[in-house]
Amino acid sequence: MSLSRRDMIKTGGVGIIGLAAVGGSVAHAAKPKHGASAVLPPIPQADGKTLFTADEALARLKEGNRRFVADQPVQADISSKRRMAIAQGQAPFAAIVSCSDSRVGPEQLFGAGLGELFIVRTAGNYVDTAGMGSLEFGVASLGAPLIVVLGHERCGAVKAAAAVVKENAKLPGSLGPMVEPIIPAVLLAKSEHTEGGDLVEEAGHANVKRVVENLRATRSPVIGDSIQSGKVKVVGAYYDLDTGTVDFFDV
Ligand SMILES: [Zn+2]
């Protein structure tokens, strides 16, 4: 599936500057403590696809997270008007592979509204067959130019995988098979582990890097060419539960 049509109609994109501050009419205590919330410019699109490049998509995510961290959250568009506008079709500007953890909802961390992010969520942010098919759909059919693999601090799935490696823990039900794909990352982190380091955090980072590398090397007939040619970018990221910051790496 070619993304060339999107590229042909691309007109240069729109930057993320020009934030329209709102909140002047919100004069009561609901106003955020450290400053006004903001509405970001609409995502430019044509012919049912986003016009954002991968870099523009990344900049938008960073700006949304910067505002989240600063208690100046983006006023994400979840209005009925927006709902009606996208009821017949979606044009997400990024695909996110995230953990199921209730504290790491991508729309919240990045200040995204309805129809903006295409998200695969599994405990441990691993891409299985269903996840890969989902990404193929989000990228090739819906036109998302960016895939972000988002791990996070103190991930329960990574902790469980580490317990299997360190203590030969037996996990009940489907939990064992679920964390199996994370075990190579734990083994890698263990082999490079230094005294005083935190194995779970090291394994969490290694897991993100591994998923990013696997996606970059994918032979998917649907999105492999787009990724390898650089039309679609895959980047890793790690969320700090304490500060709210998403640190992007492998950009
Ligand atoms: Zn997690």
Side-chain angles (χ1 to χ4, degrees), residues 180-218:
E180 259 174 34
I182 305 173
I183 286 177
V186 177
L187 292 171
L188 179 66
K190 194 162 171 266
S191 72
E192 295 174 350
H193 184 59
T194 49
E195 202 57 41
D198 186 326
L199 180 64
V200 171
E201 298 314 314
E202 290 160 358
H205 279 89
N207 183 45
V208 170
K209 288 185 181 219
R210 200 161 171 273
V211 176
V212 167
E213 282 162 13
N214 288 346
L215 285 172
R216 285 180 179 166
T218 180

Side-chain angles (χ1 to χ4, degrees), residues 98-101 103-104 122-125 151-158:
S98 163
C99 184
S100 302
D101 192 300
R103 301 165 292 181
V104 301
T122 55
N125 41 270
H152 70 96
E153 205 179 9
R154 301 180 205 114
C155 179
V158 176

Side-chain angles (χ1 to χ4, degrees), residues 109-123:
L109 311 191
F110 298 122
L114 284 172
E116 294 185 359
L117 300 180
F118 190 85
I119 303 172
V120 174
R121 292 187 76 169
T122 55

